[in-house]
Amino acid sequence: MDLGPLNICEEMTILHGGFLLAKQLFHPRALVELTKSDWEHVGRPIVEALREISATAGSQPFAWKKKALIIIWARVLQPYPITPSDTETRWQEDVFFSVGNMIPTVNHTVLFELLKSLEASGLFIELLMALPTAICYAELEHFLEHMTVDTSSKDVAFFLNVWWEMMKHKENQQDPLLSHFRTVAHKYVSSSDEFSHPPKRFKSDPDVCPTMPLLAMLLTGLKQIQNRILCPGMKCRALANLADMLTVFALMEDDPQEVCATVYLDKLATVICVWNSDTQNPYHQQALAEKVKEAERDISLTSFSKLPSETVFMGFEFLHSLLREWGEELQAMLNNSQGMSYDSYRLCDSLTAFSQNLKLYLDTSSLSKEERQVVSELAECVADFLMKVNRVLKNKGSEKDIAASIAMTIIEQKMERHMEMCYIFASEKRWAFSEEWLACLVNNWALFREPDLVLKLLETVMEVSTTERAIPKSQIKQVINLILECYSDLSLPDKNKVLSGVLLSWGQKGLSEKLLVYLEGFQEDLNTTLNQLTQSASEEGLFRAIVSMARLVILHPEITVKKMCSMAVVSLGTHKFLAQILTAFPALRFTEEQEPNPAPTFMVSCLKETVWTKFSTPKEEKQFLEFLNCLMNPVKPQGIPAAALLEPDEVLKEFVLPSLMLDVDEVDLSLKIFIQTLEANACLEEYWLQTCSPFPLIFSLCRLLDCFSKYWQLPREKRCLSLDGKDMVTHILELLCETVLANAETSSPDTWIRSLSWLHRKLEQLDWTVGLRLKNFFEGHFKCEVPATLFEICKLPEDEWTSQAPPVYGPGTGLLAWMECCSISNSISEQMLSLLVVDVDNPEEVRLFSKGFLVALVQVMPWCSPQEWQYLHQLTRKLLEKQLLHVPYSLEYIQFVPLLNLKPFARELQLSVLFLRAFQFLCSQSCRNWLPMEGWSHVVKLLCNSLTNLLDSVRLIQSVGHLAQGQEQDLTQETLFFYTQIFCHVLHIMAMLHQEVCEPLYVLALEILTCYETLSKTNSSVSSLLQKVNEQRFLESIAENISPEERRQTLLQKINSF
């Protein structure tokens, strides 16, 4: 069957035959003269032809009925009579030409009676509203004239149905047949005078919605046929139509809110239940899908415009009049009726809605006194009518039963609001796992690919599966798999919404909390997936990895995340890739409600329970550090949204603050986390440190620094952080103070002062050097407190400095305090040097200062961190340069006076001798019991660092050369001399120390010999060869005194190879 081009076909032949039979029955008169009374005798062949077409049209009977009526209506609109020129034009341009010519010329009576016989009120309105506005109005005028002549009960029923369809009509923009019909009708209008003037019943207004005048015309038509409405059912229908028209097109808001989906479904169920019980209703025998489609139209009246005020009040008065006239009869009928017909249901429902909206209209509208009286009287009349009607809808139970079938039909057919029905379907526990429910989910699972729907389905399955209902395990597994398929098809942001909902509803165990029995093989899937991911970690595989993990993380978030955390630390090089996967799920930033104390976030809990404190190698610690950083500051690959799973403040609170004590095993790692967190988040606009209580945090670091002042007095098990870590603590303290100072304006001045005062009071408990580290922090508020003896050797300004009397700083300790100040920072060292009081012109004062300096250096050195020792090294060099420090160079390791220019190396030689003297002092009988073995290892390490710096300095001087009088001088001999001297000093120190701590010095001695050998090869003169032999013998004599045997032999072998 061809529904496209309007050509001649079998169906048109049948229609042609029907019209020929009618024409014969009406002979000798033409069908164009047919009247209403003639139709009963003449119209039957036409009706039967259309019914035959519908019966043989297969799956599209309605479409052919529409096509036939369009052809007939086009024939009615065709200008008559037709001239030869019209025929020529129409043959070329009119799509209805060929089929239209198969039908004799007919009038409106044939059209309207045919529509009435076919009960095609909906089709009539669809075709009428497709016409150009002027023709539409004129055609409705013809219809009303036809209806008011010899009005029968069938005319009344058809008129009321047409009116009802007019209110339910929604324009169909997609139908090409309607477009053809409109176009042809427009061409007919332009060639005819019939439509040049609007119908007498209305005045054209271009700003008014075309439907409004049509409804006004129908209202007038109702008045004209009022006396022909005799049966109670038609009276109910007329009143319901009038009430609905006034409610929707006059009283309701222009853009009313849709009723909620549950109310919508209940109304559909009620309407369909009434149809099922009303055997006279045309939809009584229809399939459920057809009932639902029509019921949707009945309960979904909407208006895009309003009736004119005069029409509204005419309608109010007419409704009031009809209620007074018909009220008693209808009340008796409604109260005595055994069953409720659809007309009586509509009357009660429409009047109820009208009454509610009319009260609101009275309260909100500006009405004149006369208008308010009309409305008030009508409202009272309607309320009185409803009060006297026992509107008790029966079959409430069956409404509930049928609601499920209606919802599933809407979903299956994808009707209006079908997605809202999906939400009811997913939420309704009573429907779940019925045969119909399962079939609907299986057939329409693609509609449920929305995060909220997935969550509602999961909630329903979780609840129903744990009740006493006997549901086969296979069905539950089938439904879970379908839901997980829907989840897998979601976008990543939507997956996160579902994951967030799962965590909020069922906690960190996810779906496994109640569905573990249905999640067989989860652990194997998790292991397999993670092994595959770690073996193929790449940017290309990241998206696939996220998709794979999304399913696992919703089944059991806790096990999945813990396994990933463990692998991120243990599996070499996978931590960044795994962090990228995890940060693609912002929902994992979740906290379970635990009163009264807030619990750590889910991610923190997983890290602490799985890997924290369980590291077996430094590599694992390093990977953990980088993993943490990636979770705080995620890399954001293109196309994959990522969010931080850890905030810097919670990292400090959970992984740093509890470990800021010297006797905690994790203190070193916690400090590394601290510094990484500060540096990585330094550029954040938000002052995140505010939530970490920054002043107590500063004090915690100060207290840790204070422990270092008693470092070697502590038992070994209390020293979990080496002195190298002191530099890290100091650096963190500097960064922290800088950040807090930079954000001082975030606190009120009073709060800031109170906080500073609190910190200053707390620092009084600690070593004075700790408070001095906060010199800049307290500047302008508190003076620097130092031992009183420091004022004896320094000119300290009293507006910045004040004295205290620590018990261990008695007379003669000023230089010790001064040196401790110098070891704190470069800036304080510079200040102390500038304030130092030593008279360089007084040799005795310089000599005493030099002796005191050596004593203080020995006292301070064992407690210095590498950075602090570096500050003292630099200070010593500056003192030598300023000639404030006297370090005589002895002939201890010189066979004969060298005729060399040692001035370029004077400072390096003096420093080397000073370090030798310091160790002679340190290893003396009075000091050798100061330190445990780890302490000796530490001072050896500091010494090696300084001596290595001296070697670097000497190499630089030798390579550049000393410029004397603008000429470059060869310093090879001088450099070789320095190497022999420093070698002797190193071996001397080794001889004084425990052999267990000498390994770094031994390695350094070998390095010195390598430097000597490399440089001596550059000079091959006869005199240099003799010198080499002498120096070789000298070095051998020194090395002969070294033990143990292995080291001695190695050194001698190295010297002999020169």
Side-chain angles (χ1 to χ4, degrees):
M1 177 177 59
D2 180 18
L3 289 174
L6 293 161
N7 53 12
I8 299 171
C9 56
E10 180 184 349
E11 286 79 8
M12 277 307 304
T13 305
I14 295 170
L15 185 62
H16 175 61
F19 272 98
L20 285 180
L21 285 173
K23 187 176 179 182
Q24 288 175 4
L25 289 172
F26 202 50
H27 188 75
R29 287 185 295 165
L31 290 177
V32 76
E33 301 171 14
L34 187 132
T35 63
K36 201 172 187 179
S37 59
D38 299 323
W39 177 255
E40 191 67 30
H41 171 62
V42 177
R44 187 174 300 164
I46 302 172
V47 174
E48 289 177 352
L50 272 169
R51 286 176 177 158
E52 182 182 349
I53 291 170
S54 297
T56 59
S59 62
Q60 296 176 298
F62 180 80
W64 245 107
K65 187 190 289 186
K66 182 196 286 190
K67 181 175 181 180
L69 288 170
I70 285 175
I71 293 167
I72 294 166
W73 203 333
R75 186 66 169 162
V76 171
L77 291 175
Q78 184 178 324
Y80 183 82
I82 301 172
T83 64
S85 61
D86 290 337
T87 303
E88 182 66 25
T89 304
R90 286 189 59 222
W91 175 77
Q92 295 178 354
E93 299 177 2
D94 189 349
V95 293
F96 294 103
F97 178 77
S98 58
V99 291
N101 279 347
M102 296 179 69
I103 297 172
T105 303
V106 291
N107 60 7
H108 283 92
T109 302
V110 173
L111 173 66
F112 296 143
E113 287 299 314
L114 178 58
L115 286 165
K116 183 175 71 176
S117 300
L118 295 172
E119 297 180 352
S121 54
L123 195 48
F124 171 50
I125 290 300
E126 185 180 3
L127 301 184
L128 178 72
M129 299 304 289
L131 292 169
T133 304
I135 305 177
C136 177
Y137 293 155
E139 291 301 285
L140 184 61
E141 181 77 20
H142 287 307
F143 171 73
L144 293 175
E145 288 172 358
H146 181 78
M147 287 292 108
T148 53
V149 174
D150 299 328
T151 305
S152 66
S153 59
K154 289 185 178 180
D155 288 331
V156 171
F158 187 61
F159 170 84
L160 293 175
N161 288 343
V162 165
W163 186 12
W164 181 222
E165 289 293 337
M166 174 76 76
M167 289 188 278
K168 294 191 292 183
H169 175 72
K170 291 178 182 176
E171 193 170 349
N172 184 357
Q173 301 280 3
Q174 307 299 321
D175 193 331
L177 267 179
L178 294 179
S179 299
H180 286 312
F181 182 45
R182 181 182 182 87
T183 303
V184 168
H186 185 72
K187 288 179 180 177
Y188 292 164
V189 169
S190 60
S191 61
S192 172
D193 292 333
E194 183 181 352
F195 304 105
S196 58
H197 304 287
K200 60 189 176 185
R201 291 178 187 259
F202 72 93
K203 295 179 181 178
S204 179
D205 185 348
D207 296 327
V208 173
C209 172
T211 308
M212 297 305 108
L214 297 177
L215 291 173
M217 291 166 66
L218 288 167
L219 178 59
T220 305
L222 178 64
K223 280 190 168 187
Q224 291 179 329
I225 66 169
Q226 171 189 351
N227 295 329
R228 304 300 299 167
I229 304 176
L230 304 175
C231 76
M234 291 301 105
K235 290 177 180 178
C236 288
R237 196 180 305 179
L239 285 170
N241 280 2
L242 183 52
D244 281 339
M245 183 182 82
L246 292 171
T247 300
V248 176
F249 297 94
L251 302 181
M252 286 174 63
E253 298 175 9
D254 289 336
D255 187 17
Q257 295 293 315
E258 279 189 328
V259 294
C260 70
T262 50
V263 173
Y264 178 75
L265 181 58
D266 285 344
K267 292 198 71 164
L268 287 176
T270 302
V271 169
I272 291 172
C273 276
V274 173
W275 285 352
N276 288 343
S277 61
D278 183 3
T279 56
Q280 301 303 312
N281 191 275
Y283 293 99
H284 177 75
Q285 298 291 343
Q286 293 283 358
L288 181 60
E290 294 303 316
K291 288 177 182 174
V292 173
K293 285 178 185 176
E294 193 57 34
E296 280 187 334
R297 295 184 66 229
D298 278 21
I299 68 170
S300 304
L301 300 185
T302 54
S303 169
F304 298 102
S305 186
K306 288 281 180 277
L307 287 166
S309 179
E310 59 270 20
T311 305
V312 172
F313 277 90
M314 182 176 76
F316 286 162
E317 291 169 354
F318 190 33
L319 178 59
H320 195 179
S321 168
L322 291 178
L323 281 172
R324 283 200 304 266
E325 184 178 341
W326 296 344
E328 289 186 13
E329 177 190 359
L330 296 182
Q331 286 164 9
M333 184 269 291
L334 290 169
N335 290 329
N336 295 329
S337 178
Q338 294 298 313
M340 179 168 280
S341 70
Y342 186 53
D343 288 326
S344 57
Y345 162 77
R346 268 197 64 215
L347 173 62
C348 295
D349 189 63
S350 300
L351 284 178
T352 301
F354 176 75
S355 178
Q356 292 168 352
N357 283 281
L358 194 63
K359 289 175 184 174
L360 187 64
Y361 179 75
L362 261 175
D363 294 339
T364 59
S365 299
S366 299
L367 302 172
S368 66
K369 183 179 179 181
E370 293 78 8
E371 290 172 338
R372 185 166 294 276
Q373 183 177 353
V374 169
V375 176
S376 298
E377 289 175 356
L378 175 59
E380 185 178 343
C381 180
V382 173
D384 182 64
F385 178 87
L386 290 172
M387 186 176 63
K388 293 177 181 178
V389 173
N390 297 326
R391 188 192 171 197
V392 181
L393 282 179
K394 301 186 176 74
N395 302 321
K396 270 292 177 184
S398 62
E399 285 179 31
K400 293 291 183 185
D401 294 339
I402 203 173
S405 298
I406 292 171
M408 292 179 219
T409 299
I410 292 172
I411 293 168
E412 292 274 5
Q413 303 283 330
K414 297 181 180 56
M415 299 181 191
E416 281 190 39
R417 304 186 72 169
H418 67 276
M419 287 309 298
E420 291 173 82
M421 293 301 115
C422 287
Y423 280 88
I424 296 176
F425 175 94
S427 307
E428 189 56 66
K429 313 294 188 296
R430 292 181 299 107
W431 305 350
F433 292 99
S434 68
E435 187 177 340
E436 192 179 10
W437 187 88
L438 280 170
C440 183
L441 183 61
V442 169
N443 295 332
N444 301 281
W445 68 272
L447 290 177
F448 292 85
R449 291 178 298 185
E450 287 190 4
D452 292 339
L453 283 173
V454 171
L455 276 170
K456 287 187 179 296
L457 281 172
L458 286 172
E459 183 182 335
T460 297
V461 173
M462 295 280 266
E463 186 171 328
V464 173
S465 64
T466 52
T467 60
E468 295 179 359
R469 285 173 57 182
I471 303 169
K473 184 177 178 180
S474 59
Q475 286 188 359
I476 296 179
K477 288 182 72 172
Q478 180 189 15
V479 170
I480 291 170
N481 287 333
L482 280 173
I483 297 171
L484 291 177
E485 283 298 316
C486 295
Y487 170 73
S488 298
D489 284 352
L490 296 177
S491 65
L492 191 52
D494 283 346
K495 282 190 176 80
N496 270 292
K497 287 181 185 176
V498 175
L499 179 57
S500 179
V502 167
L503 288 167
L504 286 171
S505 298
W506 300 292
Q508 57 192 23
K509 294 189 184 301
L511 301 185
S512 68
E513 177 69 19
K514 293 184 179 179
L515 297 178
L516 188 59
V517 67
Y518 307 107
L519 304 176
E520 295 170 357
F522 167 77
Q523 194 66 55
E524 292 79 0
D525 288 347
L526 177 61
N527 292 336
T528 302
T529 303
L530 282 174
N531 286 335
Q532 290 172 346
L533 293 184
T534 52
Q535 289 168 13
S536 59
S538 65
E539 286 291 328
E540 296 76 21
L542 179 59
F543 187 76
R544 290 194 302 274
I546 291 169
V547 171
S548 299
M549 294 311 300
R551 188 180 179 105
L552 295 168
V553 81
I554 196 177
L555 294 177
H556 204 315
E558 183 183 28
I559 289 180
T560 304
V561 173
K562 283 184 175 179
K563 183 74 173 177
M564 292 178 75
C565 290
S566 179
M567 291 197 72
V569 171
V570 175
S571 183
L572 188 63
T574 62
H575 54 289
K576 291 182 180 178
F577 186 69
L578 291 171
Q580 282 185 304
I581 296 172
L582 284 170
T583 53
F585 297 101
L588 294 176
R589 183 161 177 74
F590 154 77
T591 305
E592 284 192 297
E593 294 296 329
Q594 287 189 1
E595 296 296 339
N597 297 322
T601 61
F602 172 55
M603 198 68 222
V604 167
S605 296
C606 289
L607 288 166
K608 291 181 82 170
E609 292 171 21
T610 309
V611 294
W612 182 241
T613 75
K614 298 178 177 67
F615 309 108
S616 56
T617 64
K619 184 64 181 176
E620 289 184 6
E621 287 191 3
K622 183 182 178 185
Q623 290 215 156
F624 176 75
L625 266 173
E626 293 179 2
F627 185 57
L628 268 189
N629 191 48
C630 291
L631 294 177
M632 270 193 297
N633 303 283
V635 177
K636 298 184 179 179
Q638 189 173 4
I640 300 177
L645 294 182
L646 297 174
E647 294 296 330
D649 57 338
E650 70 176 324
V651 170
L652 291 192
K653 290 172 185 174
E654 298 294 339
F655 297 105
V656 176
L657 286 178
S659 305
L660 287 183
M661 288 174 283
L662 198 59
D663 57 350
V664 176
D665 289 337
E666 291 76 33
V667 61
D668 183 52
L669 180 57
S670 291
L671 289 170
K672 290 174 183 174
I673 293 171
F674 200 159
I675 196 166
Q676 174 178 271
T677 304
L678 284 175
E679 290 176 346
N681 298 281
C683 298
L684 289 181
E685 290 184 13
E686 182 186 359
Y687 180 37
W688 59 271
L689 269 170
Q690 186 70 53
T691 61
C692 300
S693 305
F695 282 87
L697 192 54
I698 291 171
F699 178 66
S700 296
L701 290 169
C702 291
R703 194 169 51 187
L704 184 56
L705 281 173
D706 182 64
C707 293
F708 285 103
S709 64
K710 304 177 282 288
Y711 191 80
W712 298 118
Q713 288 92 325
L714 297 171
R716 184 171 184 176
E717 61 273 11
K718 296 287 186 180
R719 291 186 263 115
C720 295
L721 187 66
S722 71
L723 270 167
D724 289 17
K726 188 178 180 184
D727 288 333
M728 186 159 48
V729 178
T730 303
H731 181 51
I732 293 169
L733 185 62
E734 289 172 359
L735 284 176
L736 188 58
C737 289
E738 284 175 13
T739 305
V740 174
L741 269 177
N743 292 276
E745 69 278 359
T746 61
S747 302
S748 66
D750 287 346
T751 303
W752 179 253
I753 294 297
R754 281 199 305 272
S755 299
L756 283 175
S757 300
W758 175 87
L759 181 60
H760 192 264
R761 283 195 309 274
K762 298 292 282 185
L763 290 179
E764 290 173 359
Q765 309 164 17
L766 309 181
D767 189 80
W768 66 272
T769 56
V770 177
L772 190 56
R773 292 180 186 276
L774 301 183
K775 180 176 179 292
N776 293 336
F777 196 72
F778 288 129
E779 193 169 19
H781 297 281
F782 298 99
K783 295 180 181 181
C784 299
E785 296 183 4
V786 293
T789 54
L790 183 59
F791 283 81
E792 297 171 5
I793 65 165
C794 277
K795 292 180 180 179
L796 296 174
E798 294 185 359
D799 58 334
E800 294 181 25
W801 302 78
T802 186
S803 65
Q804 55 172 232
V808 296
Y809 288 84
T813 58
L815 196 51
L816 173 63
W818 180 82
M819 189 168 288
E820 287 181 294
C821 290
C822 292
S823 68
I824 287 174
S825 71
N826 193 54
S827 60
I828 293 179
S829 178
E830 293 282 354
Q831 189 178 15
M832 289 293 108
L833 186 59
S834 66
L835 297 173
L836 181 65
V837 179
V838 177
D839 185 2
V840 292
D841 297 326
N842 186 338
E844 184 62 19
E845 192 168 331
V846 172
R847 185 181 64 82
L848 289 173
F849 172 78
S850 300
K851 284 185 177 182
F853 181 87
L854 181 61
V855 173
L857 187 67
V858 170
Q859 287 179 285
V860 171
M861 181 182 183
W863 284 266
C864 280
S865 68
Q867 183 61 62
E868 289 173 334
W869 179 248
Q870 182 65 25
Y871 290 143
L872 293 182
H873 182 116
Q874 293 168 358
L875 172 71
T876 307
R877 182 180 285 274
K878 289 175 183 175
L879 288 170
L880 290 170
E881 289 170 353
K882 291 178 178 288
Q883 297 183 355
L884 290 172
L885 182 62
H886 177 58
V887 181
Y889 198 89
S890 68
L891 302 177
E892 194 171 357
Y893 291 105
I894 300 176
Q895 293 174 301
F896 47 84
V897 178
L899 299 176
L900 299 171
N901 177 20
L902 295 176
K903 191 174 182 180
F905 303 101
R907 305 290 172 260
E908 281 67 28
L909 287 167
Q910 285 178 305
L911 284 167
S912 182
V913 169
L914 181 65
F915 295 144
L916 173 60
R917 299 289 174 257
F919 268 80
Q920 286 175 322
F921 197 157
L922 197 57
C923 297
S924 67
Q925 194 64 36
S926 59
C927 302
R928 65 182 306 110
N929 295 323
W930 272 7
L931 302 173
M933 198 59 68
E934 296 90 340
W936 287 108
S937 295
H938 176 68
V939 292
V940 166
K941 179 182 174 182
L942 296 181
L943 173 66
C944 288
N945 288 342
S946 289
L947 294 178
T948 300
N949 288 339
L950 291 183
L951 288 175
D952 292 339
S953 177
V954 165
R955 278 194 288 263
L956 180 64
I957 294 169
Q958 190 271 328
S959 63
V960 173
H962 182 68
L963 296 176
Q965 297 180 350
Q967 293 183 350
E968 200 172 278
Q969 184 176 341
D970 183 14
L971 298 175
T972 302
Q973 293 299 322
E974 288 81 356
T975 305
L976 289 171
F977 175 77
F978 174 82
Y979 288 151
T980 60
Q981 293 302 298
I982 195 172
F983 176 77
C984 293
H985 296 163
V986 169
L987 265 58
H988 189 151
I989 294 170
M990 284 177 66
M992 294 186 288
L993 293 169
H994 302 284
Q995 295 304 313
E996 300 95 301
V997 301
C998 287
E999 183 65 23
L1001 288 169
Y1002 167 64
V1003 173
L1004 182 63
L1006 290 173
E1007 183 184 348
I1008 295 167
L1009 290 177
T1010 300
C1011 293
Y1012 178 90
E1013 180 183 14
T1014 303
L1015 186 61
S1016 65
K1017 288 178 180 178
T1018 61
N1019 191 349
S1020 57
S1021 65
V1022 175
S1023 60
S1024 69
L1025 288 174
L1026 180 59
Q1027 182 184 343
K1028 286 177 188 178
V1029 172
N1030 291 333
E1031 288 177 350
Q1032 188 175 18
R1033 289 174 181 168
F1034 173 68
L1035 293 174
E1036 286 175 349
S1037 67
I1038 299 298
E1040 286 285 352
N1041 300 313
I1042 288 299
S1043 58
E1045 180 66 24
E1046 304 86 56
R1047 289 177 181 168
R1048 181 168 61 250
Q1049 290 302 325
T1050 304
L1051 288 171
L1052 290 172
Q1053 186 179 356
K1054 180 76 172 173
I1055 295 167
N1056 288 329
S1057 67
F1058 288 172

Short mmCIF file of all heavy atoms in Angstrom, two decimals, residues 441-450 486:
data_model
loop_
_atom_site.label_atom_id
_atom_site.label_comp_id
_atom_site.label_asym_id
_atom_site.label_seq_id
_atom_site.Cartn_x
_atom_site.Cartn_y
_atom_site.Cartn_z
N LEU A 441 12.07 -4.78 31.93
CA LEU A 441 13.46 -4.38 32.16
C LEU A 441 14.38 -4.98 31.11
O LEU A 441 15.26 -4.30 30.58
CB LEU A 441 13.90 -4.82 33.56
CG LEU A 441 15.32 -4.40 33.97
CD1 LEU A 441 15.46 -2.89 33.97
CD2 LEU A 441 15.66 -4.95 35.36
N VAL A 442 14.16 -6.24 30.77
CA VAL A 442 15.00 -6.91 29.75
C VAL A 442 14.85 -6.23 28.40
O VAL A 442 15.83 -6.00 27.68
CB VAL A 442 14.62 -8.40 29.66
CG1 VAL A 442 15.28 -9.04 28.45
CG2 VAL A 442 15.02 -9.14 30.94
N ASN A 443 13.62 -5.87 28.04
CA ASN A 443 13.36 -5.30 26.71
C ASN A 443 13.73 -3.82 26.61
O ASN A 443 13.97 -3.32 25.51
CB ASN A 443 11.87 -5.46 26.35
CG ASN A 443 11.47 -6.91 26.20
OD1 ASN A 443 12.30 -7.76 25.86
ND2 ASN A 443 10.21 -7.22 26.48
N ASN A 444 13.75 -3.14 27.74
CA ASN A 444 13.95 -1.68 27.70
C ASN A 444 15.09 -1.22 28.58
O ASN A 444 15.13 -0.06 29.00
CB ASN A 444 12.65 -0.98 28.15
CG ASN A 444 11.46 -1.35 27.30
OD1 ASN A 444 11.29 -0.83 26.20
ND2 ASN A 444 10.64 -2.25 27.80
N TRP A 445 16.08 -2.08 28.84
CA TRP A 445 17.15 -1.73 29.76
C TRP A 445 17.92 -0.50 29.30
O TRP A 445 18.46 0.25 30.12
CB TRP A 445 18.10 -2.93 29.95
CG TRP A 445 18.90 -3.27 28.74
CD1 TRP A 445 18.55 -4.11 27.74
CD2 TRP A 445 20.19 -2.77 28.40
NE1 TRP A 445 19.53 -4.17 26.79
CE2 TRP A 445 20.56 -3.36 27.17
CE3 TRP A 445 21.08 -1.90 29.01
CZ2 TRP A 445 21.77 -3.09 26.55
CZ3 TRP A 445 22.29 -1.62 28.39
CH2 TRP A 445 22.62 -2.22 27.17
N ALA A 446 17.94 -0.27 27.97
CA ALA A 446 18.69 0.89 27.46
C ALA A 446 18.11 2.21 27.96
O ALA A 446 18.82 3.21 28.06
CB ALA A 446 18.71 0.87 25.93
N LEU A 447 16.80 2.22 28.28
CA LEU A 447 16.18 3.45 28.79
C LEU A 447 16.66 3.79 30.19
O LEU A 447 16.50 4.93 30.66
CB LEU A 447 14.66 3.30 28.81
CG LEU A 447 13.93 3.25 27.46
CD1 LEU A 447 12.45 3.04 27.69
CD2 LEU A 447 14.17 4.52 26.66
N PHE A 448 17.21 2.81 30.88
CA PHE A 448 17.59 3.00 32.28
C PHE A 448 19.04 3.43 32.43
O PHE A 448 19.60 3.37 33.53
CB PHE A 448 17.31 1.72 33.07
CG PHE A 448 15.84 1.41 33.19
CD1 PHE A 448 15.17 0.73 32.20
CD2 PHE A 448 15.13 1.85 34.29
CE1 PHE A 448 13.81 0.46 32.30
CE2 PHE A 448 13.78 1.60 34.41
CZ PHE A 448 13.11 0.90 33.41
N ARG A 449 19.64 3.88 31.34
CA ARG A 449 21.04 4.31 31.40
C ARG A 449 21.13 5.76 31.86
O ARG A 449 21.59 6.64 31.15
CB ARG A 449 21.71 4.11 30.04
CG ARG A 449 21.89 2.64 29.68
CD ARG A 449 22.51 2.44 28.33
NE ARG A 449 21.68 2.97 27.27
CZ ARG A 449 21.95 2.85 25.98
NH1 ARG A 449 23.03 2.21 25.59
NH2 ARG A 449 21.14 3.36 25.08
N GLU A 450 20.62 6.00 33.05
CA GLU A 450 20.72 7.29 33.72
C GLU A 450 21.15 7.01 35.15
O GLU A 450 20.68 6.04 35.76
CB GLU A 450 19.39 8.05 33.70
CG GLU A 450 19.04 8.60 32.33
CD GLU A 450 17.85 9.56 32.38
OE1 GLU A 450 17.36 9.85 33.50
OE2 GLU A 450 17.42 10.00 31.30
N CYS A 486 23.73 -1.24 32.36
CA CYS A 486 23.30 0.17 32.26
C CYS A 486 24.38 1.07 32.84
O CYS A 486 24.72 2.12 32.26
CB CYS A 486 21.99 0.38 33.02
SG CYS A 486 20.58 -0.49 32.33
#
